[in-house]
Every structure is written in structure tokens, then in C-alpha cells.
């Protein structure tokens, strides 16, 4: 399969996944809601979920939960309490990787993910992204300038209620900022 065919297939898969969001919530809905004592006292937080090691550094469940649809991006309106329950239920089922971004909402997804995962933050991995001008009130404009990246990461840490981000990446390439500057800024933040 060439790159063009792969991208077409990926795009179609993403569209199908977006349409099936309510299907995913129905799957989770068939299980009883997790109680607070249940998710805090699990002796085996990983359950039977298979895991993968990313880059030799990050161990994650083979199924992750993308948290963009929770803010209504694909249609529908979801309640905060329901999405927090969904995130926690995914954890109960063995999901240990949660993907979000500052632009989702904007900010709402990170806030809900942070609240939902706070009780067991040390048992999960969170990925978030920078690269849009959210901090400058221009969420559709690309922005990967070093000063923006630093502000975006500080905001993400605060909203996610954590002192570290397990996987930080650029949402979209900003053609106005050399990739060496972006990589250098991320390296500085890592240190």
C-alpha cells in the first residue's frame, strides 16, 4: 500500500470512528458504573488488557481513549459527569492511555481528563498536544512558537492536574517555525 492509499484508508477509518462514538458509549454503558471504592482499590489496575511499549519508554494499553469526541466535536452534547464516568470506566476495563489536547473544547477535554484520572494518575499515561493558537484566542491558527509551547504546556499541566505529561506532541506542523526550534523547546521542557 502506498502512502496516498494509506492516508485515504486512515481518513475513512477516522470518519467511521467518529460516527461510531455513540456506539462506543453504548458498549461502556452495558457494564455497571464503577464505584469510587472500586476504581481506587483495584489490586491489578491493568486488568487483562494487552500492553505495548512505545519507544522503549512508555508502557500503554493497546486500546487508548481519545477524548476529543467528549466535547461534542463530532456532534452531540455530553455532560461532564457522564464523560468523567466514561473515562473512569475505561480505566476499570484496563485502558491506561488517554489522549487529549488543549484545543479540544478548547481546554474542556483536558480539564475533564485531569479530574477523572486524578485518583489514579500514577497508573495511567496521558498524551496531549500543542500547536494551535488557543492561548492567543486563535484556536484555528497554527502556533508552535517556543513562547506559545511553554504557555500551552503550563496550561495543560494545570488543567490535567499533574506535574508531568507522559506524551507531548505537536498537533499540526507550523510552517512558520523551524522544526529544530520546536524540538529544542520540547527538549528543554522535558529537562
Amino acid at each position: 500500500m502506498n502512502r496516498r492509499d494509506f492516508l485515504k484508508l486512515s481518513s475513512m477509518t477516522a470518519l467511521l470512528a467518529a460516527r461510531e462514538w455513540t456506539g462506543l458509549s453504548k458498549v461502556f454503558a452495558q457494564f455497571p458504573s464503577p464505584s469510587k471504592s472500586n476504581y481506587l482499590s483495584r489490586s491489578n489496575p491493568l486488568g487483562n488488557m494487552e500492553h505495548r511499549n512505545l519507544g522503549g519508554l512508555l508502557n500503554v494499553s493497546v486500546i487508548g481513549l481519545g477524548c476529543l469526541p467528549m466535547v461534542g466535536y463530532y456532534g452531540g452534547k455530553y455532560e461532564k459527569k457522564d464523560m468523567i464516568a466514561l473515562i473512569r470506566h475505561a480505566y476499570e476495563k484496563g485502558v491506561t492511555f488517554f489522549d487529549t489536547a488543549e484545543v479540544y473544547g478548547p481546554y474542556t477535554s483536558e480539564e475533564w481528563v485531569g479530574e477523572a484520572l486524578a485518583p489514579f494518575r500514577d497508573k495511567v499515561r496521558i498524551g496531549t498536544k500543542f500547536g494551535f493558537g488557543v492561548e492567543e484566542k486563535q484556536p484555528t491558527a497554527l502556533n508552535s512558537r517556543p513562547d506559545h509551547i511553554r504557555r500551552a504546556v503550563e496550561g495543560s499541566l494545570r488543567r490535567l492536574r499533574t506535574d508531568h505529561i507522559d506524551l507531548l506532541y505537536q498537533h499540526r506542523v507550523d510552517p512558520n517555525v523551524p522544526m529544530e526550534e520546536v524540538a529544542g523547546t520540547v527538549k528543554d521542557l522535558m529537562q
Side-chain angles (χ1 to χ4, degrees):
M1 177 180 299
N2 66 33
R3 185 171 185 262
R4 182 180 304 271
D5 291 338
F6 174 77
L7 291 172
K8 282 183 196 175
L9 180 61
S10 298
S11 297
M12 288 187 296
T13 303
L15 286 172
L16 288 173
R19 289 185 190 138
E20 292 302 317
W21 169 250
T22 55
L24 177 61
S25 58
K26 287 176 186 172
V27 168
F28 280 122
Q30 72 181 331
F31 299 102
S33 296
S35 66
K36 185 174 183 179
S37 61
N38 189 14
Y39 70 75
L40 289 177
S41 65
R42 283 188 343 162
S43 60
N44 181 5
L46 303 179
N48 294 323
M49 179 76 68
E50 190 177 338
H51 286 75
R52 296 283 189 272
N53 194 295
L54 304 180
L57 300 172
L58 195 63
N59 188 1
V60 298
S61 55
V62 293
I63 297 175
L65 184 62
C67 299
L68 169 60
M70 295 179 180
V71 298
Y73 184 80
Y74 295 118
K77 179 161 173 46
Y78 303 102
E79 298 295 324
K80 174 184 173 180
K81 67 179 177 54
D82 296 331
M83 295 303 98
I84 288 174
L86 177 66
I87 292 167
R88 289 178 175 171
H89 195 74
Y91 171 73
E92 279 294 310
K93 294 298 172 190
V95 174
T96 62
F97 182 70
F98 298 84
D99 176 80
T100 187
E102 65 168 348
V103 75
Y104 298 171
Y107 307 130
T108 308
S109 178
E110 285 185 331
E111 290 167 357
W112 293 358
V113 168
E115 183 175 336
L117 298 178
F120 37 88
R121 173 60 180 101
D122 61 326
K123 294 178 174 68
V124 297
R125 303 293 172 253
I126 299 173
T128 195
K129 305 170 226 35
F130 65 86
F132 286 106
V134 179
E135 297 292 322
E136 293 78 17
K137 308 285 189 251
Q138 296 175 328
T140 59
L142 296 176
N143 188 346
S144 288
R145 292 189 317 270
D147 61 318
H148 169 78
I149 296 171
R150 289 184 192 92
R151 282 194 314 276
V153 168
E154 287 300 319
S156 291
L157 288 167
R158 189 174 50 257
R159 288 183 293 275
L160 292 167
R161 301 180 184 196
T162 190
D163 62 353
H164 68 285
I165 295 168
D166 301 293
L167 180 62
L168 174 69
Y169 49 107
Q170 186 178 26
H171 212 139
R172 299 282 189 278
V173 173
D174 184 344
N176 298 315
V177 181
M179 71 173 73
E180 295 82 4
E181 282 186 41
V182 173
T185 303
V186 172
K187 181 181 177 183
D188 292 345
L189 290 169
M190 289 170 62
Q191 293 171 343

